[in-house]
Structures are given as C-alpha cells and as structure tokens.
Amino acid sequence: MSVLLLSVAACGGQSGSGASAPSTSAPVSPVPVSSAPGSTSPPPVPLPSPSGPPQSRPTQGVPPGDTAPAPGQVDASALPPGYPHDLTLAQGGKVVVIQAEEGGCDKLAARAGEQTAQQAVVVVTVTKAPHGQMCPMHIRDISLPVTLDQPLGGRKLVLRPGS
C-alpha cells in the first residue's frame, strides 16, 4: 500500500511545465508505474518459481506423488508397541517413507535390511535416553526415508525392530 501512495504522490508532485517540485524526503529507489494515466493499481508482482520438491511432508494422508502399499502388503507384527508403522511408498516404490513422531530425547532411525524376491525388510530403531536424563517435552513429526535396492512391487514389506 505504501508503494502505491508513494507513486501517486510522486506523480502528483510534478507540474505540467516540466519543472519538478523540490523533494523533501530521502531518495527513493525507482518504483515501476503503470503507463496508463489515472491507473491506481500496483504493477503485478511475479511469483517465485518452484525450485524442487516441497521441504516438508503432510502429517496426515498420503503425500502427493507417494502411494499407499497394498492392503496386507506390510507386516509390522514384529514391532513392539509404540514403534512407528505408518508408511507410504515414494519414487515408484523404491523408497519406503515411514511417518513417525519423535519426542524428547528419543531418536528414531530406519534402514534397509535383507531384500529378496519375496520380501524387503526395513529395520526400525528407537533409541531412548538414559534413565534419569532430563529431556524436553516436545513431539516432532518426522519422515524416515529408506531406499530399497529395487522397487517394492508385489513383495511383502516386513518391519522389524533394530538395536
């Protein structure tokens, strides 16, 4: 809004004889003004072009470009309670992305394990803080991408706890 007022004030300060009015304010960088006389709308501002994928992922649902594994394709029965098991497949099934909540001093990690023609294993590790260590009480949503040797395809995805 101040750019509009500045450009209107600058146009109104000129006399018809070509002489410019004395300036009482500090120098101002040039402001583009519409060539149409009497125009009061500011010039359009170009939007920045996107430069790659978004830096964050949605916390619910399947992110754009990802797919959900087929029903029954994921076996998370070996994971203890509290371990993350919500996941999507990215890059055509070559990357397994585990969505999880990480809080306090607890740290989560995931890595590819044994991979065969029938199944792909992903090892999920939760590292807890030593007993008695003070930790902040906050929770963060994180994504743990795990790259497989080949796209998952019709193979079974097995989640196992790590150490």
Side-chain angles (χ1 to χ4, degrees):
M1 184 69 180
S2 61
V3 172
L4 177 62
L5 292 176
L6 180 61
S7 57
V8 170
C11 292
Q14 295 179 354
S15 66
S17 65
S20 61
S23 174
T24 58
S25 63
V28 179
S29 60
V31 176
V33 180
S34 173
S35 60
S39 174
T40 58
S41 64
V45 177
L47 296 175
S49 63
S51 59
Q55 297 300 317
S56 65
R57 299 174 62 82
T59 57
Q60 293 182 352
V62 178
D66 288 10
T67 58
Q73 189 174 16
V74 178
D75 177 5
S77 61
L79 290 180
Y83 272 59
H85 58 273
D86 293 331
L87 58 93
T88 58
L89 303 172
Q91 298 180 16
K94 186 156 174 72
V95 177
V96 175
V97 182
I98 300 173
Q99 284 85 30
E101 289 181 342
E102 186 177 70
C105 294
D106 294 351
K107 298 293 177 202
L108 296 167
R111 63 177 173 80
E114 178 187 355
Q115 299 179 47
T116 66
Q118 292 76 33
Q119 71 178 17
V121 174
V122 172
V123 179
V124 181
T125 305
V126 177
T127 304
K128 300 259 182 204
H131 184 69
Q133 178 179 342
M134 296 196 52
C135 295
M137 294 181 61
H138 66 278
I139 295 176
R140 315 175 278 288
D141 290 319
I142 63 168
S143 296
L144 301 169
V146 178
T147 302
L148 302 176
D149 294 337
Q150 298 176 7
L152 184 62
R155 296 184 293 168
K156 182 77 123 182
L157 180 64
V158 180
L159 300 179
R160 292 199 178 131
S163 53

